[in-house]
Amino acid sequence: MAVTRKAHGLSDRTVCGLFVLPALAVLVLMVAYPFISLLYYSTLRFSILRPGVPAEGVGLENYEFLLTDPDLWDRFVFTGKFVVMTVAVQFILGILIAYVLQRNFRGRDFLFTLFMLPMMLCPIVVGFLWRYMFNSEWGLVNYLFSLFGLGKLDWLGQAHNAVWAVVAADAWMWTPFVILLATAAFRGIPKDINEAADIDGASPAFRFFRVTLPLSMPILVIAFLLRLIDAFKQNDLFFAMTGGGPGSETMTVSFTLSKIAFGYFYTGEASALAVILLIIIIGLSMIFVRYLLRLTEGN
Amino acid sequence: MAAVDLRDLTVRFGDFTAVDAINLGLGDGEFVVFLGPSGCGKTTTLRCIAGLETPTAGDILFDGRRVNELHATERNVAMVFQFVSLYPHLSVRENIAFPLRARGVSRSVIREKIDWVTGIFDLAPILDQRPGRLPPGARQKAALARSVVRDPNVLLLDEPLSAIDEQFREEMRWELRHLQQRLGVTSVYVTHDQREAMSLADRVVLMRDGRIVQAGPPAELYEDPADRFAAFFIGSPSMNFLPARLTDDGLAIGREARPLKLPAPLRAGLAGHASEDAITLGVRPQHVSLGGRSGEAGVLDVPLIGRYQVGRERWFDFEIGGEICKGRVLSDDGRDGGEVPVTLDLDRVRFFAADGRRLRWERPS
């Protein structure tokens, strides 16, 4: 072996490096370059629509402008409200359904597949679908309300209704993801542990809260993190269902971002906002990743 | 604590009958060991008592009350599993408290119980550790502590020591035995290790193919095996089985028809089974000794293969009909091969029919 290696003149280290190189190149191209240029653009005043106008370096002016804009703070507050609501609904429903689907009953696998379907649809399609369902005049939701003798609600025209409408659509689409991961987590618990809990006389509720849930935590935290980041970026549903209205009351930060970037084409300002958003998401992720590591150590 | 009765207990998985109409009574406070090879139904029977498996037919009774329909959570049985089943996210203390909390026992009682069980198992140093960091022996101790902390009706142990080092296992076995006697809890212990069964049990239940082969105190199974399987499975080293045919003054052993003279009463007893075309003479290696006077009753000439030492005891191998047999070297005449006389302890010799049945007859006292 030693002879062959010498003949080719490649050490193990070099070979390893060569294998890693393509992945590294892709990473640099797809992540590092855009990220660095994003940082750079965020310090410029320019618009990609007007390549003829020279970009003007403005330092941190874009950030200053954004962070002192009271409207943007409102966007952040609304986004936070939406994130908390939608993630909570998805987790409560998702874990509940996954728990029920643990049992063996006829048609369970069919039901499971059915539950997974919304996740596979295109978000913008889901948005329009729910927009029609929530139509105040001829939408399905108000029709169902009328069957129960309830009055018509202006779902998408009032901000406090609209946020629930979008939460419903988002939960309809993404609860399946929580069901999927929670099911995986529940099934990953060793049979012996569940039988030990039976023998120990644990009631279903006691077992669920003291054994099933704590042992599923690592996977649930990952699911939570993914849903959190995704909810934070939710854009399509608002675009399709409310268009950010009434006024700009249902504008999320990322919707605002896409409007600045591709509506007004203030490229520098949009870049700065993207950086702010990124920092928030990385910060949130780090909290949960650290929690995840603490959960899994020692087991 | 409770007495347990199994009546015609049967468990089928599809076409496979795991437990085949077993009848067995476990006395209150008794330590019973289910012994047998893998797939004999011992663990399935245990799981039926626990309520983790549903019998296909038959009844399970605790103190005369039918418990078939009771869920495992309601039977107040304790179980220690083969592989560690402590809750990995809880400390040893929380693990032990778990069955008490599940039943809504008050905090002060829980504290008392934990103190009590900590003393018994010497768990104080590991009480606040998580099971993942503990050695297997300590984990099983904690699992045992969790199982006895709530005064169970029955303590079920499914090969609890198999994951533990040989050396430590011996120690744990004794501790377990003392503990069981001290607590007086009805216990069922499942194992495939006959030495474990023999050293632990008040009563051994030997199983094979879902049926009970023999149930009795360890000494009874050793001295008076019900059939060839029981004779083979119990005892170490395993019993020697010599194929034999009846002759006028005794037996002809093996293909070579080596003559073995038997005393008249024994010969007469065997003659009652003269219709058997082939019989097997079973004798434990402990009851075969090197040396003897050729031609005397109970003395057989055999080709010696070799000798070896295990601890303080010396053993030898000889060959009968192509099979290696074993015996003990009590007095050494220095010979190391060739034909040698060996003496069988005729009081301890057992006979079996071709199908493994034990051949019995009234022995004149």
Side-chain angles (χ1 to χ4, degrees), chain A residues 148-213:
Chain A
F148 291 98
L150 296 162
K152 282 182 180 177
L153 269 175
D154 183 7
W155 283 107
L156 300 174
Q158 302 284 331
H160 58 273
N161 290 341
V163 65
W164 278 112
V166 180
V167 164
D170 195 46
W172 181 77
M173 188 168 177
W174 288 112
T175 301
F177 179 80
V178 181
I179 297 174
L180 191 70
L181 267 82
T183 301
F186 294 166
R187 289 196 184 166
I189 296 172
K191 187 172 141 248
D192 277 5
I193 297 279
N194 281 323
E195 291 188 341
D198 271 345
I199 295 278
D200 282 343
S203 66
F206 192 86
R207 175 164 129 186
F208 178 74
F209 287 109
R210 301 299 182 98
V211 179
T212 311
L213 214 49

Side-chain angles (χ1 to χ4, degrees), chain A residues 191-193 195-202 206 210-211 214-215 295 297-299, chain B residues 47 52 71 73 77 79 81 86-89 98-99 101-103 130 133 146 150:
Chain A
K191 187 172 141 248
D192 277 5
I193 297 279
E195 291 188 341
D198 271 345
I199 295 278
D200 282 343
F206 192 86
R210 301 299 182 98
V211 179
L215 286 178
L295 268 184
E297 79 178 329
N299 289 348
Chain B
R47 291 171 59 84
L52 296 174
H71 191 253
T73 48
V77 294
M79 188 158 168
F81 294 79
L86 292 171
Y87 309 110
H89 59 295
F98 189 95
R101 289 221 175 102
R103 287 174 167 76
R130 287 206 188 169
R133 303 178 179 217
R146 181 181 66 181
R150 62 196 152 96

Side-chain angles (χ1 to χ4, degrees), chain B residues 27-329:
Chain B
D28 195 350
E30 197 180 14
F31 197 130
V32 173
V33 175
F34 289 174
L35 175 67
S38 348
C40 73
K42 54 190 192 304
T43 298
T44 308
T45 308
L46 187 84
R47 291 171 59 84
C48 281
I49 299 174
L52 296 174
E53 213 76 70
T54 313
T56 316
D59 290 326
I60 303 162
L61 294 92
F62 283 10
D63 283 334
R65 200 166 68 96
R66 188 167 181 273
V67 295
N68 285 39
E69 274 72 41
L70 282 189
H71 191 253
T73 48
E74 300 158 316
R75 290 194 193 182
N76 191 26
V77 294
M79 188 158 168
V80 178
F81 294 79
Q82 180 173 11
F83 301 106
V84 172
S85 54
L86 292 171
Y87 309 110
H89 59 295
L90 301 177
S91 69
V92 169
R93 184 198 304 276
E94 291 164 326
N95 261 287
I96 297 172
F98 189 95
L100 301 173
R101 289 221 175 102
R103 287 174 167 76
V105 174
S106 76
R107 262 166 206 283
S108 58
V109 175
I110 290 178
R111 207 171 305 127
E112 258 170 52
K113 289 266 188 187
I114 288 179
D115 286 345
W116 168 71
V117 89
T118 303
I120 294 181
F121 290 94
D122 196 18
L123 292 174
I126 59 164
L127 217 45
D128 290 307
Q129 290 187 43
R130 287 206 188 169
R133 303 178 179 217
L134 299 173
R139 274 188 234 167
Q140 277 314 50
K141 266 192 182 181
L144 264 172
R146 181 181 66 181
S147 68
V148 300
V149 75
R150 62 196 152 96
D151 308 319
N153 278 327
V154 192
L155 174 59
L156 305 171
L157 305 124
D158 186 7
E159 307 207 19
L161 305 183
S162 58
I164 296 171
D165 290 342
E166 175 76 34
Q167 222 168 354
F168 196 50
R169 204 184 310 168
E170 193 93 15
E171 196 186 313
M172 283 284 287
R173 217 181 280 162
W174 285 115
E175 275 188 44
L176 192 62
R177 184 68 180 128
H178 286 308
L179 176 83
Q180 193 274 337
Q181 283 168 344
R182 195 169 142 191
L183 300 177
V185 56
T186 312
S187 304
V188 183
Y189 188 107
V190 160
T191 182
H192 59 260
D193 180 347
Q194 58 94 15
R195 277 186 305 167
E196 209 159 86
M198 300 304 269
S199 60
L200 278 172
D202 291 328
R203 194 150 54 110
V204 175
V205 176
L206 180 64
M207 294 182 68
R208 186 194 197 185
D209 298 333
R211 292 204 178 89
I212 295 177
V213 175
Q214 190 174 6
E220 189 182 304
L221 268 78
Y222 185 82
E223 294 291 345
D224 195 12
D227 65 6
R228 185 176 159 156
F229 171 76
F232 161 78
F233 204 82
I234 284 165
S236 169
S238 229
M239 189 181 257
N240 299 309
F241 294 104
L242 316 179
R245 265 183 308 104
L246 219 50
T247 60
D248 289 340
D249 61 348
L251 292 167
I253 304 287
R255 275 194 305 245
E256 306 89 340
R258 296 171 186 279
L260 175 70
K261 239 192 242 170
L262 297 178
L266 191 53
R267 170 74 186 77
L270 270 177
H273 296 284
S275 57
E276 303 289 341
D277 40 323
I279 58 175
T280 302
L281 181 156
V283 61
R284 298 198 184 277
Q286 288 83 348
H287 306 141
V288 179
S289 57
L290 189 57
R293 218 170 283 159
S294 298
E296 271 188 10
V299 179
L300 186 65
D301 288 323
V302 295
L304 181 66
I305 292 177
R307 310 149 184 264
Y308 54 95
Q309 187 125 10
V310 179
R312 277 172 57 197
E313 296 188 346
R314 284 189 296 164
W315 301 84
F316 70 100
D317 285 350
F318 60 98
E319 190 212 310
I320 292 286
E323 299 283 327
I324 305 289
C325 299
K326 291 180 194 303
R328 279 179 77 176
V329 181

Side-chain angles (χ1 to χ4, degrees), chain A:
Chain A
M1 277 313 284
V3 177
T4 346
R5 201 181 294 164
K6 216 160 205 174
H8 291 288
L10 290 176
S11 71
D12 283 356
R13 248 184 110 82
T14 319
V15 174
C16 287
L18 282 172
F19 275 115
V20 174
L21 206 60
L24 203 67
V26 169
L27 209 64
V28 167
L29 213 67
M30 307 288 284
V31 178
Y33 169 73
F35 178 67
I36 290 165
S37 48
L38 180 76
L39 279 179
Y40 174 63
Y41 291 155
S42 74
T43 62
L44 301 177
R45 179 177 300 148
F46 92 114
S47 170
I48 51 164
L49 270 193
R50 283 175 288 175
V53 180
E56 180 192 345
V58 293
L60 296 177
E61 212 174 88
N62 284 330
Y63 291 95
E64 204 187 317
F65 172 75
L66 284 168
L67 293 175
T68 52
D69 176 7
D71 275 359
L72 188 67
W73 282 109
D74 286 348
R75 301 292 86 81
F76 270 113
V77 170
F78 175 75
T79 306
K81 208 167 112 187
F82 169 73
V83 167
V84 170
M85 282 162 73
T86 188
V87 172
V89 169
Q90 286 168 35
F91 267 76
I92 292 168
L93 280 180
I95 289 173
L96 206 72
I97 293 170
Y99 182 75
V100 173
L101 287 179
Q102 262 186 299
R103 273 165 232 206
N104 272 321
F105 54 85
R106 269 174 81 97
R108 181 188 66 174
D109 294 349
F110 176 73
L111 203 62
F112 190 85
T113 314
L114 212 63
F115 272 122
M116 289 304 116
L117 281 178
M119 200 168 58
M120 294 158 199
L121 298 177
C122 171
I124 201 83
V125 173
V126 173
F128 280 110
L129 200 70
W130 282 85
R131 177 176 165 177
Y132 296 132
M133 297 221 293
F134 277 118
N135 184 293
S136 57
E137 291 306 315
W138 41 267
L140 183 68
V141 177
N142 271 352
Y143 171 69
L144 290 175
F145 267 50
S146 72
L147 287 186
F148 291 98
L150 296 162
K152 282 182 180 177
L153 269 175
D154 183 7
W155 283 107
L156 300 174
Q158 302 284 331
H160 58 273
N161 290 341
V163 65
W164 278 112
V166 180
V167 164
D170 195 46
W172 181 77
M173 188 168 177
W174 288 112
T175 301
F177 179 80
V178 181
I179 297 174
L180 191 70
L181 267 82
T183 301
F186 294 166
R187 289 196 184 166
I189 296 172
K191 187 172 141 248
D192 277 5
I193 297 279
N194 281 323
E195 291 188 341
D198 271 345
I199 295 278
D200 282 343
S203 66
F206 192 86
R207 175 164 129 186
F208 178 74
F209 287 109
R210 301 299 182 98
V211 179
T212 311
L213 214 49
L215 286 178
S216 306
M217 258 328 191
I219 292 180
L220 291 180
V221 168
I222 291 173
F224 184 76
L225 194 59
L226 291 173
R227 287 315 313 139
L228 190 79
I229 292 171
D230 248 21
F232 210 82
K233 296 189 305 187
Q234 184 51 270
N235 186 3
D236 309 332
L237 290 181
F238 286 100
F239 175 78
M241 291 175 72
T242 68
S248 55
E249 281 183 76
T250 61
M251 285 277 266
T252 57
V253 177
S254 64
F255 194 9
T256 310
L257 173 61
S258 67
K259 228 172 181 174
I260 299 173
F262 306 111
Y264 312 133
F265 284 96
Y266 296 155
T267 310
E269 196 185 313
S271 299
L273 184 53
V275 171
I276 293 170
L277 212 58
L278 194 67
I279 288 169
I280 290 170
I281 288 175
I282 289 175
L284 280 175
S285 306
M286 271 166 66
I287 294 171
F288 288 107
V289 167
R290 198 163 286 180
Y291 176 60
L292 183 69
L293 291 177
R294 224 187 47 218
L295 268 184
T296 48
E297 79 178 329
N299 289 348

